[in-house]
């Protein structure tokens, strides 16, 4: 994956977040909240910009679970995200997701792990009121 592809993935997640209908907004917010409860985001005080960033990450993680998408972050971007128009918190939060066993990392490529899959599926089931919702 090139730097351009990473930017396209982030832009796609941003577009999905910004164009989400009410039900999708509930789903995104629920996933974002679950990720925050697991200590993924380091920001103590939520601001509109951090809320939007966290929601975009939630969309990315949902896509990783639902479509099997992977996120490749080259080492140059990991060390200097500000030079590539990447949110500066992204490398830190991806590392936290790996440490939290939500993502797997191999050769600079992140993919969803089973706990992330379960988190997304259980959260969506609770939000949507389906029978699969965790008790």
């Amino acid at each position: 994956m090139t730097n351009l592809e990473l930017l396209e993935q982030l832009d796609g997640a941003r577009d999905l977040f910004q164009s989400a209908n009410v039900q999708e907004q509930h789903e995104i917010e629920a996933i974002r909240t679950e990720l925050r409860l697991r200590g993924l985001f380091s920001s103590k005080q939520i601001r509109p910009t951090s809320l939007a960033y966290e929601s975009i990450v939630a969309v990315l993680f949902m896509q990783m679970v639902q479509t099997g998408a992977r996120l490749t972050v080259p080492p140059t971007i990991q060390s200097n995200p500000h030079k590539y128009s990447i949110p500066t918190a992204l490398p830190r939060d991806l590392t936290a997701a790996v440490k939290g066993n939500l993502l797997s990392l191999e050769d600079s490529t992140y993919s969803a792990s089973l706990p992330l899959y379960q988190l997304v599926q259980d959260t969506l089931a609770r939000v949507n009121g389906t029978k699969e919702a965790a008790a």
Side-chain angles (χ1 to χ4, degrees), residues 34-42 93 96:
E34 287 293 329
L35 294 172
R36 180 168 266 288
L37 288 172
R38 284 165 176 72
L40 182 63
F41 305 114
S42 58
D93 290 336

Side-chain angles (χ1 to χ4, degrees), residues 84-99:
Y84 298 94
S85 300
I86 304 297
T88 55
L90 184 63
R92 180 181 59 236
D93 290 336
L94 291 173
T95 299
V98 170
K99 289 180 182 173

Side-chain angles (χ1 to χ4, degrees), residues 44-111:
K44 300 283 187 240
Q45 183 178 4
I46 299 176
R47 295 186 173 100
T49 54
S50 62
L51 180 63
Y53 162 74
E54 291 174 9
S55 297
I56 291 166
V57 171
V59 170
L60 277 174
F61 284 16
M62 288 171 64
Q63 289 176 328
M64 293 171 88
V65 167
Q66 294 171 336
T67 66
R70 295 171 184 261
L71 187 67
T72 299
V73 183
T76 55
I77 290 178
Q78 282 280 24
S79 60
N80 295 303
H82 59 281
K83 289 185 178 181
Y84 298 94
S85 300
I86 304 297
T88 55
L90 184 63
R92 180 181 59 236
D93 290 336
L94 291 173
T95 299
V98 170
K99 289 180 182 173
N101 200 30
L102 296 173
L103 295 178
S104 302
L105 174 63
E106 186 175 329
D107 296 327
S108 300
T109 300
Y110 296 88
S111 57

